[in-house]
Amino acid sequence: MRSGLFLIATGAAVAIIAVVPASAQSLRDFCADRPGLNTPACTLDPGHVMIESGLVDWTRDHDGAQRADTMTFTDTLVRVGLDSRTEAQVGWTAFGIRRDRDAIAGTAERSRGVGDMTVALRRNLRNPEGSGVSLAIMSVATIPTGGRAIGAGDWGAALLAPMSINLPAKIDLELTPEIDAAVDEDGHGRHVAYGSAVGLEVPVGHAVLATGELSVFHDDDPAGHSTRSTAGLSLARQRGTNLQFDAGVNVGLNRTTDDLNLYVGVARRF
């Protein structure tokens, strides 16, 4: 049933591609959502599609005697250019494993399953190719298709305002303010969460970009308010004009944030 929902959504995206003619002009610069903590303001060329996949993603959270390890595989995002400024997105995590260990009790519990689905719409307001000062607004809805291992348990929503600014020496400043209707920790109901990510994207070699980022989010969960602070570093290597490989690491800066996150992925434009 859950995989069927994703196939239906992906089929809808393919149908959109079929009716939106691809531009005969040269394509915009490659601009993937991954890697990193920020979200780009650029949008895809109309009639084109990009498939982005987190091949492997591992997160560790260690709090005293408690330790949780989560691994997800093929966390996939399908993006479709609808017009010169608008794109639609469908995302789904195909499979995940979570292991919780208690050092004092000497016990370990493992769970596995599929993740939630996301649907999103991004509308660029200025410079959809990402040049100069580029601005966009993006709405995201999360559909609770996942299980208890990596699913949130209820629907959620988010509103983002991605921004990028071209600086000298081909450096880009990225900023992504966000406000969420986040799912409560017990998986029932929603609460407000808000914050932003900020980063600098710097060329470090031929077709290689390095991005350093920082994000701070405040979460008003009824189970306890918290602020999560994360620092991230990622590398993206473009091959040709339509293919990118990436890897990254995120480190929690306080006790309420996951300690470590490592990931690798790929993005392909068609």
Side-chain angles (χ1 to χ4, degrees), residues 89-190:
Q89 302 183 357
V90 179
W92 186 59
T93 302
F95 185 68
I97 301 172
R98 179 182 172 95
R99 186 181 184 190
D100 294 280
R101 283 175 275 189
D102 189 321
I104 296 177
T107 59
E109 179 182 353
R110 177 175 292 185
S111 54
R112 63 186 65 192
V114 299
D116 295 334
M117 182 190 300
T118 61
V119 291
L121 191 69
R122 181 152 73 221
R123 174 70 176 178
N124 184 274
L125 306 176
R126 178 185 173 95
N127 295 331
E129 74 285 351
S131 63
V133 177
S134 184
L135 306 172
I137 189 166
M138 180 174 174
S139 58
V140 184
T142 301
I143 304 170
T145 56
R148 70 184 185 92
I150 57 174
D154 204 343
W155 69 267
L159 183 65
L160 294 74
M163 175 191 303
S164 65
I165 302 173
N166 294 157
L167 302 177
K170 298 183 178 181
I171 296 174
D172 284 348
L173 172 65
E174 300 174 339
L175 184 69
T176 313
E178 177 179 345
I179 184 168
D180 299 351
V183 179
D184 293 348
E185 185 178 347
D186 63 6
H188 302 285
R190 281 150 299 281

Side-chain angles (χ1 to χ4, degrees), residues 4 13 24 33 68 77 97 99-101 106 163 201 208 211 237 247-248 259 261 265:
D33 270 36
L77 179 69
I97 301 172
R99 186 181 184 190
D100 294 280
R101 283 175 275 189
M163 175 191 303
E201 183 183 81
V208 178
T211 305
R237 171 72 163 92
D259 296 323
N261 170 233

Side-chain angles (χ1 to χ4, degrees), residues 199-214:
L200 286 175
E201 183 183 81
V202 182
V204 294
H206 176 65
V208 178
L209 294 173
T211 305
E213 297 168 293
L214 177 68

Side-chain angles (χ1 to χ4, degrees):
M1 176 63 180
R2 291 162 181 158
S3 59
L5 287 171
F6 181 70
L7 291 174
I8 292 171
T10 303
V14 173
I16 292 172
I17 298 171
V19 300
V20 178
S23 172
Q25 301 177 352
S26 59
L27 293 178
R28 299 168 182 168
D29 289 344
F30 194 89
C31 185
D33 270 36
R34 58 175 306 113
L37 302 172
N38 278 281
T39 298
C42 59
T43 53
L44 284 175
D45 299 85
H48 288 269
V49 62
M50 184 177 291
I51 299 177
E52 306 182 21
S53 182
L55 302 177
V56 181
D57 187 303
W58 170 66
T59 300
R60 170 179 290 180
D61 187 22
H62 194 187
D63 183 11
Q66 308 291 327
R67 173 174 154 179
D69 291 274
T70 304
M71 292 190 70
T72 59
F73 305 90
T74 59
D75 184 358
T76 302
L77 179 69
V78 180
R79 300 168 55 198
V80 182
L82 302 181
D83 60 33
S84 62
R85 292 181 178 271
T86 311
E87 69 173 57
Q89 302 183 357
V90 179
W92 186 59
T93 302
F95 185 68
I97 301 172
R98 179 182 172 95
R99 186 181 184 190
D100 294 280
R101 283 175 275 189
D102 189 321
I104 296 177
T107 59
E109 179 182 353
R110 177 175 292 185
S111 54
R112 63 186 65 192
V114 299
D116 295 334
M117 182 190 300
T118 61
V119 291
L121 191 69
R122 181 152 73 221
R123 174 70 176 178
N124 184 274
L125 306 176
R126 178 185 173 95
N127 295 331
E129 74 285 351
S131 63
V133 177
S134 184
L135 306 172
I137 189 166
M138 180 174 174
S139 58
V140 184
T142 301
I143 304 170
T145 56
R148 70 184 185 92
I150 57 174
D154 204 343
W155 69 267
L159 183 65
L160 294 74
M163 175 191 303
S164 65
I165 302 173
N166 294 157
L167 302 177
K170 298 183 178 181
I171 296 174
D172 284 348
L173 172 65
E174 300 174 339
L175 184 69
T176 313
E178 177 179 345
I179 184 168
D180 299 351
V183 179
D184 293 348
E185 185 178 347
D186 63 6
H188 302 285
R190 281 150 299 281
H191 61 275
V192 174
Y194 55 90
S196 183
V198 62
L200 286 175
E201 183 183 81
V202 182
V204 294
H206 176 65
V208 178
L209 294 173
T211 305
E213 297 168 293
L214 177 68
S215 74
V216 179
F217 270 81
H218 182 73
D219 194 302
D220 287 336
D221 195 296
H225 296 189
S226 64
T227 299
R228 304 187 306 276
S229 301
T230 306
L233 177 64
S234 61
L235 292 173
R237 171 72 163 92
Q238 191 173 337
R239 298 293 301 273
T241 58
N242 295 311
L243 181 63
Q244 174 187 283
F245 297 95
D246 65 73
V249 55
N250 297 321
V251 178
L253 301 180
N254 60 2
R255 291 185 177 181
T256 57
T257 310
D258 291 335
D259 296 323
L260 183 65
N261 170 233
L262 303 173
Y263 60 86
V264 295
V266 62
R268 177 73 163 88
R269 179 172 60 184
F270 298 90

